[in-house]
Amino acid sequence: QVFTFNGVKIKVEPSDKVKNGAPMSIICHADISKNTAFQLKHNFTFFKDGKLVFMAISDKEDARYEIPVAKSADTGDYACRVKAGDKLVISKPIYVWVAGMTKPILTADKKEVSEGEIVKLRCELPEEVPPLVFFFRKTKTNSDPIEKRVAEQNQNFSEMEYYVEAGDNILQFDCFGKRQVKSGWESSQHSNKTLVTVKEPFRKPTLITRPSNNITEGDIIEFECSTVAAQMRGIEIIFQKNRTILNSVRDKTYLKYSTLATQEDSGEYLCKVEQGAVSKTTKLNVFVSELFPRPTLSASMTQLDENKDLLLNCSINGLRRANFSILRKSSSGDILLKKSRILAIKVNVNDTGSYTCKAEVKGIVKESKPVRISVYAPVSKPTLSVVSGSPEVVLGKPLQLICHSVMGTPPITFTFYKGDEIKKNVTNDTYATFLDEDIGQNDNGGYKCDARNNHSSGVKTSNILNVTVIVPVRGASLGSVPYGEVEVGSDTAFLCSVKEGSLPIDFKFFKKTDHEVLLHEAREYSDRTIWHKKTMKRKDTGTYYCMASNRASVDVRSRPITISVILAAWQKGVIAAFVLTAVAGAGAVALWWYLRKKKKGNVPPLFVLG
């Protein structure tokens, strides 16, 4: 008994695209060749998307997997496997699409709700297999549906909560579902429509004014806000303009508010009624006509000298009868100067400030724009000085000057001069500084400054400031007479000099040892100095140098020189005579000793006298 598989094929009846709810058959056919006619048992196994769905054993070469009512969940890739004896063959897969989805079922937990409550909906796709996407739709009367999307990965239903807003009347809900197939997305039919009736806990408020129109400044305007509520407990009425709350009541259905009308009261008013989560609003625009225009304050002068006359006049265009008052602005509050439209005063510097006037008609008070009045005292003669205190400056260093006026109303403008050249203009309160960074050797004077403000007296000029330029010491050198070698007991003159430097100059002479030893110092109004050192000794041998400095506080050091202290000529002669005398004396003693020994016969065999 020999057989072989020629192949295994799978097909779908009536086709690979089946309408939802229709019957469907998956047929598996094994093509087998045999050497003789004998019966062979076949094991058929059907798979959907790789999962086993049906098995059959038959001696025929065909097997059928019947699906009486096809659902969208039956969409997928089908394959079959045939085993005969010890041989096994698998067919190529075929994709089956069950078109269409079951109609969803929508239920609501309430059929009647109040504004501010929650409606809970449930949309279910029976016989469908997740993942699924649900779409809930809410439709208000005479409005387009508002849609919300929810994806469900593990269940064939979804739930959604809707907040019932103020103004909702009759709400209609429905839903539908979608699932993803190879060709894209497939949608279900829309569910049944569910109606929910909405009750009002209170009505939208009514907002009125008295008078209702032709409101003019000075009129008493009254606002009334009211509503009709099923239950007064917990109800609140809030009355506001822009974002400012003007009045409010609780557990009442009406509110009143009145005020004296001004132009600032024009605008949009809002009456808001709140109870729990429900809020309803009514808006009303109010226009208040002007009773009289804003007053104008005029001044005879806005900048004037002290002890001058100032006239302030308050007026209203087209209106003469009003209660006027003139005030001065202050950080601690307005200061009333006079209840009149005219104010005449003789000013001093303390009268500088901002002034306004007010006008009152029928209880309506309006204020003018402020007018700034500046009163000036003349500047005093300025003083010019060096910031460091001393009227000196080191050549190459900057010079900082300060110009100061003791008296005078700021702002004061200061002008600095170097000679006749203007160097800087500075506006400040009582003083100003100037930094001159271009100091020359010949800049020994000529600085001055001016001070002026808005007083009519004009400019005041300081005295001329002469500044001394200090030239630092440069090029110190040291010499001596005699130079190099000096006899013991003689005098030596040390000369320390500089190439340049402002006088006086401080000279110092040092000898180098383990530490510096100051030998002599002097202050000279000259570029040199001489130090006479008397009676030089052998211990004075060594290295010498000098240092020079002046008020520039820069020490300049000379190159060192070496001095050797030697014996004088007469001292050398005395030493030589002493040596010769000592030698002669030693010879005489030796001769006497020799003659004495010879007489006794005890002369040594070898004796040398030298």
Side-chain angles (χ1 to χ4, degrees):
Q1 295 181 349
V2 180
F3 71 94
T4 183
F5 279 96
N6 296 317
V8 174
K9 292 182 180 180
I10 190 170
K11 65 178 181 177
V12 183
E13 289 183 354
S15 71
D16 57 0
K17 183 177 180 181
V18 182
K19 191 174 181 181
N20 194 304
M24 176 176 72
S25 298
I26 311 295
I27 302 169
C28 183
H29 172 71
D31 183 7
I32 299 175
S33 296
K34 303 177 184 176
N35 62 343
T36 59
F38 61 89
Q39 279 195 350
L40 186 66
K41 285 192 175 182
H42 308 86
N43 290 308
F44 293 90
T45 306
F46 292 81
F47 298 90
K48 174 182 173 289
D49 296 327
K51 295 181 180 179
L52 189 152
V53 291
F54 181 71
M55 295 180 68
I57 299 174
S58 174
D59 54 2
K60 296 181 179 180
E61 294 182 352
D62 293 285
R64 301 172 70 93
Y65 169 40
E66 300 285 353
I67 302 176
V69 180
K71 303 295 181 184
S72 59
D74 295 323
T75 297
D77 287 308
Y78 287 84
C80 73
R81 184 180 67 194
V82 181
K83 183 178 181 182
D86 57 355
K87 296 182 180 182
L88 183 82
V89 179
I90 300 175
S91 72
K92 290 182 178 180
I94 184 172
Y95 180 71
V96 179
W97 179 17
V98 180
M101 299 173 65
T102 56
K103 184 177 179 179
I105 300 170
L106 179 68
T107 56
D109 66 337
K110 299 174 185 176
K111 295 296 183 180
E112 185 177 83
V113 294
S114 294
E115 294 172 334
E117 292 184 348
I118 301 295
V119 177
K120 189 173 182 179
L121 303 177
R122 176 188 170 99
C123 184
E124 184 178 359
L125 283 165
E127 302 179 5
E128 298 293 342
V129 178
L132 299 167
V133 179
F134 291 86
F135 294 84
F136 293 84
R137 302 201 314 164
K138 172 186 173 182
T139 307
K140 295 183 180 182
T141 305
N142 301 322
S143 299
D144 294 329
I146 300 173
E147 195 171 271
K148 291 185 180 181
R149 178 182 183 275
V150 182
E152 297 288 356
Q153 299 294 327
N154 304 308
Q155 56 191 26
N156 64 351
F157 67 90
S158 182
E159 295 179 339
M160 173 69 67
E161 290 185 347
Y162 278 92
Y163 170 72
V164 180
E165 301 172 351
D168 289 348
N169 189 2
I170 297 178
L171 299 177
Q172 178 180 283
F173 296 96
D174 66 273
C175 69
F176 64 95
K178 284 187 178 183
R179 66 187 178 105
Q180 195 167 19
V181 294
K182 275 191 175 181
S183 58
W185 288 91
E186 187 173 28
S187 296
S188 73
Q189 301 178 48
H190 284 247
S191 70
N192 54 297
K193 290 181 170 53
T194 300
L195 296 179
V196 176
T197 304
V198 180
K199 298 184 297 181
E200 280 188 308
F202 57 88
R203 290 183 183 175
K204 184 177 180 179
T206 301
L207 178 59
I208 60 173
T209 62
R210 296 187 182 91
S212 58
N213 50 28
N214 297 328
I215 303 171
T216 306
E217 288 182 313
D219 293 345
I220 299 296
I221 181 172
E222 186 176 281
F223 296 87
E224 185 176 302
C225 180
S226 61
T227 186
V228 176
Q231 181 180 348
M232 289 181 59
R233 185 177 179 182
I235 199 165
E236 184 177 18
I237 303 177
I238 300 171
F239 181 63
Q240 62 189 86
K241 181 176 186 284
N242 298 326
R243 300 176 62 87
T244 303
I245 296 176
L246 303 176
N247 197 10
S248 66
V249 295
R250 294 184 68 89
D251 299 333
K252 291 184 179 181
T253 57
Y254 68 92
L255 172 149
K256 289 185 178 182
Y257 175 79
S258 61
T259 184
L260 182 68
T262 66
Q263 266 204 305
E264 287 72 22
D265 293 323
S266 295
E268 184 180 77
Y269 290 82
L270 183 144
C271 176
K272 184 185 291 185
V273 180
E274 295 178 342
Q275 189 177 40
V278 184
S279 177
K280 296 183 181 182
T281 301
T282 298
K283 297 179 181 180
L284 178 66
N285 280 304
V286 173
F287 176 74
V288 179
S289 302
E290 185 179 63
L291 179 62
F292 63 95
R294 186 179 185 180
T296 302
L297 180 65
S298 58
S300 56
M301 297 178 69
T302 56
Q303 293 187 352
L304 65 164
D305 297 347
E306 62 179 354
N307 298 319
K308 294 288 185 180
D309 292 326
L310 172 66
L311 183 66
L312 298 175
N313 184 18
C314 186
S315 61
I316 299 175
N317 187 23
L319 184 67
R320 297 187 60 84
R321 297 181 63 85
N323 294 323
F324 293 97
S325 56
I326 298 178
L327 308 96
R328 180 179 172 186
K329 307 297 284 184
S330 170
S331 59
S332 58
D334 294 347
I335 301 172
L336 176 64
L337 301 178
K338 190 176 182 181
K339 287 188 175 182
S340 173
R341 66 187 304 162
I342 296 175
L343 174 65
I345 56 173
K346 190 178 289 291
V347 295
N348 57 55
V349 291
N350 293 327
D351 293 321
T352 294
S354 294
Y355 293 79
T356 63
C357 74
K358 292 183 179 180
E360 180 185 357
V361 178
K362 292 179 61 177
I364 300 299
V365 179
K366 294 189 178 182
E367 186 174 1
S368 70
K369 291 182 179 179
V371 175
R372 178 73 183 179
I373 302 296
S374 299
V375 181
Y376 293 93
V379 294
S380 58
K381 181 179 179 178
T383 57
L384 182 64
S385 59
V386 180
V387 171
S388 62
S390 174
E392 294 180 343
V393 61
V394 178
L395 181 66
K397 299 291 184 180
L399 173 67
Q400 190 170 28
L401 303 176
I402 182 169
C403 186
H404 177 247
S405 283
V406 176
M407 299 182 64
T409 305
I412 301 174
T413 299
F414 297 91
T415 305
F416 290 89
Y417 297 85
K418 186 176 182 180
D420 295 328
E421 182 184 358
I422 296 176
K423 286 295 185 179
K424 188 179 182 182
N425 284 309
V426 180
T427 300
N428 207 341
D429 288 347
T430 59
Y431 73 93
T433 59
F434 166 62
L435 186 66
D436 188 357
E437 297 181 302
D438 186 21
I439 301 297
Q441 192 164 347
N442 298 320
D443 292 347
N444 289 319
Y447 291 98
K448 65 179 180 179
C449 69
D450 289 343
R452 69 181 184 277
N453 62 0
N454 289 323
H455 194 275
S456 60
S457 61
V459 178
K460 302 291 175 65
T461 304
S462 71
N463 295 330
I464 294 176
L465 175 65
N466 294 315
V467 176
T468 302
V469 179
I470 305 299
V471 179
V473 171
R474 183 175 68 86
S477 63
L478 177 65
S480 68
V481 178
Y483 184 79
E485 291 184 345
V486 181
E487 291 183 349
V488 173
S490 64
D491 297 343
T492 302
F494 290 91
L495 172 65
C496 185
S497 63
V498 296
K499 289 184 178 181
E500 66 175 359
S502 296
L503 306 178
I505 299 176
D506 294 325
F507 295 93
K508 295 180 180 179
F509 294 85
F510 295 88
K511 181 185 178 185
K512 277 190 174 180
T513 59
D514 293 338
H515 57 279
E516 294 182 342
V517 178
L518 176 64
L519 303 175
H520 177 73
E521 59 182 336
R523 173 169 290 184
E524 302 287 350
Y525 283 87
S526 172
D527 62 352
R528 64 196 60 203
T529 188
I530 297 176
W531 171 42
H532 294 277
K533 180 168 176 55
K534 298 182 178 298
T535 316
M536 295 289 285
K537 300 177 181 179
R538 293 293 296 272
K539 66 179 182 180
D540 293 326
T541 295
T543 302
Y544 293 80
Y545 66 92
C546 71
M547 293 181 67
S549 64
N550 61 4
R551 297 194 305 279
S553 300
V554 177
D555 293 329
V556 179
R557 182 171 174 168
S558 71
R559 289 186 177 182
I561 62 172
T562 301
I563 300 295
S564 298
V565 181
I566 62 176
L567 295 175
W570 67 267
Q571 290 176 316
K572 293 179 181 179
V574 170
I575 293 172
F578 177 78
V579 171
L580 292 174
T581 302
V583 171
V589 172
L591 179 60
W592 172 80
W593 181 80
Y594 176 75
L595 292 175
R596 185 179 178 190
K597 289 292 183 178
K598 185 177 181 183
K599 186 176 180 180
K600 293 181 177 182
N602 296 325
V603 180
L606 293 174
F607 180 79
V608 178
L609 178 66

